[in-house]
Amino acid sequence: MNLCFLLGDQLNLSISSLSNIDAEKDVIFMCEVWDEATYVQHHKKKIAFIFSAMRHFADELRAQGYNVHYTKLDDPENAGSFYSELKRADEQYKPKSIIATEASEYRVLEDMKDWSFDAPVDIRPDDRFLCTHYEFAEWAEGRKQLRMEYFYREMRRKYNILMDGDKPEGGEWNYDSENRKPPKDALNIPQTYMSQPDDITREVMDLVADRFPDHFGDLEPFHFAVTREQAVQALDQFIKERLCNFGDYQDAMVEGEPWMYHSHLSFYINCGLLLPLECVQAAEEAYRDGKSPLNAVEGFIRQIIGWREYVRGIYWLKMPEYESENFLDAKRKLPALFWGGDTQMNCMRQCVKETKENAYAHHIQRLMVLGNFALIAGLDPDEVNEWYMIVYADAYQWVELPNVTGMILFADGGVLGSKPYSASGAYINKMSDYCKGCRYKVTKKKGPDACPFNYLYWDFLIRNEDKLRGNHRLGMIYRTLERMSEKKVEAVIEDSRRFFKALENDEKV
Ligand code: FAD
Ligand code: DLZ
Ligand code: SF4
């Protein structure tokens, strides 16, 4: 017999480690282990979600006639790590071979490569992704600059998605110019998918409450889908109710509306309950059936076959060095406000609050509020990466690291994106209603009442001038800075120093 090892983000029957399984003889092995649950202090909801989805998947496998060996976290014999648990299973079953699908993260894959058991280990590629490591490396080879847009077009062609012969559907590859409306009108946003916790989820929640009491985040209420059936319902609900507005309000932020018109599917796609291609095909079908407009459907599809595959490609191309990139030499410690510490900056307060409650924030909150702050305040990439790994239920290093190190912090010096996504308060004010409930004034540029994003934005450009001035996409901004009066520049520096001092002293900013 063979032992088929399944990780917590490989919960799909089509996974390569199960491709030629003998249901009668082989044993599928899954384990909840302390090392994995604590190498960073994951959000409580994230642990509950993964453990519940794993337990439900194990039950489904059993119901379909497979032999499953499942170690729960609180099993007295649990040896605590993937390796030590597999070692026990290897000794118990004496399998002919151990079959695994490559781990999605470098850390775990390196560990896998070092595994040594009596049985040989067969590590197979993860064909849930649409672009292999080899294909991405080949595409990247010899290019001066890597840009998502060109990669995305290749993926559209390869999978024949939203194509009209060899031309893009509608004549354009990208309809972003029609997207990104500010949330001016009163929006009537449909409710996101919500499951009710069953006995398995309740048991896991009790376990998490008991064993991880100091981890960040709220455990209750818990509404994530934890089975394939529920995840498919969540996908259907998104396609029917929210996809049509996905494009228009993709960048909009509204106080008290954590979900907006986003899909909230990343948790399920990343752990295997949904496959990326089925999500993309469901969206294309909605367009072909005349149920959703092209700008929304193209925008959604680009996130999945474009951005998702592109960041994964960069991750595997650049690891392990990518983990320690710090192009801007940023050193500031992550302030307490990221952990829910009190702050007067309403945008930051809302985004952290929702992150704590839901283990979710939508893309523009992660990028233009939390990420923008981390960038212009010069926060240490290690600390920022750890925070993003901890707090989101969809976080795995292959997707988290490029988004943080590359997209928000520009710590890779421009590998993933061509310029830093820095912005002043005006952007947040345009795309959200946060500023009207803020103690700071978004229109004020200097002094204690001014919006901190306004002076930190310029201070960031001044502090990093030697590294960023040569970036042609920042040319105009640096020319504006050149024209700024000495008095204005001094005020920017002075306000920023005052703000940083308050941060360092753990004062409420
Ligand atoms: P939607 O807005 O509905 O998008 C649809 C899908 O597209 C998502 O489910 C996701 O699979 C994919 N997608 C969209 N943008 C990206 C992107 N930039 N990179 C990769 N996939 C993308 N996504 C994660 O899955 N895990 C992370 O740990 C993660 N960390 C992030 C950290 C930062 C700083 C930023 C700026 C983005 C991060 N993202 C991450 C990307 C993106 O924010 C989330 O995928 C998205 O918010 C998930 O919510 P959704 O399913 O509602 O997405
Ligand atoms: C996120 C996570 C957690 C918290 N715990 C486990 C676990 O105990 N067992 C498991 O198989 N997977 C877990 N996961 C998901 C893994 O982190 C993920 O499968 C790997 O990081 C992939 O590289
Ligand atoms: Fe955020 Fe500035 Fe607006 Fe306050 S005024 S919510 S700090 S952007």
Side-chain angles (χ1 to χ4, degrees), residues 269-464:
I269 305 176
N270 292 354
C271 79
L273 292 181
L274 292 176
L275 293 172
L277 207 51
E278 71 182 317
C279 300
V280 164
Q281 283 162 348
E284 179 166 9
E285 199 179 305
Y287 165 70
R288 304 263 176 221
D289 292 348
K291 294 189 176 136
S292 271
L294 188 54
N295 68 312
V297 171
E298 185 282 315
F300 175 71
I301 287 179
R302 175 159 23 92
Q303 306 312 310
I304 297 189
I305 65 170
W307 277 112
R308 186 171 186 272
E309 295 290 330
Y310 178 71
V311 301
R312 177 185 183 249
I314 292 204
Y315 176 75
W316 285 103
L317 196 67
K318 297 290 174 188
M319 279 298 277
E321 296 78 18
Y322 210 65
E323 218 175 3
S324 38
E325 296 281 19
N326 191 357
F327 175 69
L328 298 176
D329 206 18
K331 294 200 176 83
R332 196 170 307 285
K333 286 181 78 62
L334 194 85
L337 66 92
F338 274 82
W339 300 112
D342 212 0
T343 173
Q344 306 181 93
M345 301 170 77
N346 192 37
C347 53
M348 293 293 286
R349 184 169 55 226
Q350 296 304 326
C351 293
V352 170
K353 173 176 167 281
E354 290 174 1
T355 298
K356 179 169 171 286
E357 286 170 0
N358 303 320
Y360 175 85
H362 63 74
H363 185 67
I364 216 69
Q365 296 176 305
R366 297 188 205 195
L367 179 69
M368 296 310 295
V369 177
L370 301 160
N372 183 20
F373 182 85
L375 170 72
I376 63 181
L379 304 188
D380 180 338
D382 285 345
E383 299 209 0
V384 181
N385 270 300
E386 188 179 10
W387 185 82
Y388 275 94
M389 264 308 294
I390 288 174
V391 301
Y392 294 117
D394 56 21
Y396 301 87
Q397 198 193 32
W398 67 265
V399 52
E400 174 279 330
L401 182 68
N403 271 297
V404 170
T405 280
M407 196 179 296
I408 64 167
L409 297 181
F410 204 67
D412 64 0
V415 173
L416 183 131
S418 52
K419 76 173 183 72
Y421 276 94
S422 50
S424 69
Y427 177 86
I428 297 173
N429 191 33
K430 182 174 156 217
M431 295 312 297
S432 79
D433 64 352
Y434 292 145
C435 300
K436 66 176 198 248
C438 188
R439 164 249 182 276
Y440 295 110
K441 303 235 175 336
V442 71
T443 46
K444 278 200 90 173
K445 305 273 188 282
K446 58 178 186 176
D449 292 337
C451 164
F453 281 93
N454 289 345
Y455 48 80
L456 292 179
Y457 170 78
W458 289 110
D459 191 62
F460 163 74
L461 291 163
I462 296 167
R463 263 185 285 130
N464 293 294

Side-chain angles (χ1 to χ4, degrees), residues 5-10 31-34 36-37 39 42 46-47 50-51 54 82 103-105 107-108 395-396:
F5 178 56
L6 272 193
L7 281 161
D9 65 350
Q10 300 179 339
C31 54
E32 297 166 8
V33 288
W34 184 253
E36 197 60 17
Y39 75 92
H42 305 281
K46 178 179 179 185
I47 305 179
I50 293 287
F51 285 5
M54 285 175 69
F82 293 141
S104 63
E105 297 179 308
R107 168 184 64 86
V108 185
Y396 301 87

Side-chain angles (χ1 to χ4, degrees), residues 90-295:
D90 182 44
E91 281 158 14
Q92 180 182 340
Y93 293 104
K94 306 205 179 326
K96 198 165 70 202
S97 69
I98 294 176
I99 303 172
T101 293
E102 62 178 343
S104 63
E105 297 179 308
Y106 186 88
R107 168 184 64 86
V108 185
L109 184 58
E110 284 302 290
D111 190 36
M112 270 184 173
K113 287 181 186 159
D114 284 347
W115 284 347
S116 143
F117 303 110
D118 290 337
V121 182
D122 171 10
I123 303 177
R124 299 178 177 175
D126 189 344
D127 49 24
R128 285 175 300 165
F129 289 95
L130 306 178
C131 179
T132 66
H133 304 313
Y134 174 76
E135 271 176 312
F136 191 86
E138 211 182 25
W139 173 80
E141 176 80 41
R143 284 174 195 261
K144 267 208 208 112
Q145 274 195 329
L146 305 182
R147 289 298 162 253
M148 193 285 296
E149 188 62 35
Y150 299 111
F151 169 77
Y152 164 60
R153 294 177 190 180
E154 299 282 316
M155 300 299 283
R156 287 266 296 274
R157 286 195 192 95
K158 178 177 170 195
Y159 286 92
N160 193 26
I161 292 164
L162 281 186
M163 296 298 293
D164 178 6
D166 59 354
K167 301 256 170 351
E169 181 68 26
E172 304 289 336
W173 290 102
N174 182 317
Y175 289 90
D176 257 357
S177 57
E178 296 174 27
N179 290 341
R180 302 173 170 173
K181 288 204 178 88
K184 285 265 181 318
D185 322 318
L187 301 175
N188 190 9
I189 304 165
Q191 183 61 266
T192 185
Y193 173 82
M194 286 191 172
S195 77
Q196 290 309 320
D198 62 3
D199 289 348
I200 296 179
T201 301
R202 282 271 155 229
E203 190 183 307
V204 163
M205 288 170 74
D206 289 345
L207 174 77
V208 172
D210 184 44
R211 302 294 299 275
F212 307 99
D214 302 331
H215 286 213
F216 175 77
D218 300 352
L219 194 50
E220 306 256 14
F222 184 97
H223 294 302
F224 287 143
V226 288
T227 63
R228 158 104 188 138
E229 196 187 340
Q230 292 177 346
V232 168
Q233 281 171 23
L235 170 62
D236 288 348
Q237 196 172 319
F238 166 68
I239 299 284
K240 281 199 191 90
E241 298 178 5
R242 287 194 309 281
L243 173 63
C244 53
N245 283 314
F246 177 87
D248 284 1
Y249 297 108
Q250 204 177 333
D251 286 6
M253 300 174 277
V254 177
E255 191 163 331
E257 295 285 1
W259 309 102
M260 298 299 293
Y261 292 97
H262 292 268
S263 68
H264 328 129
L265 296 175
S266 50
F267 328 112
Y268 315 132
I269 305 176
N270 292 354
C271 79
L273 292 181
L274 292 176
L275 293 172
L277 207 51
E278 71 182 317
C279 300
V280 164
Q281 283 162 348
E284 179 166 9
E285 199 179 305
Y287 165 70
R288 304 263 176 221
D289 292 348
K291 294 189 176 136
S292 271
L294 188 54
N295 68 312

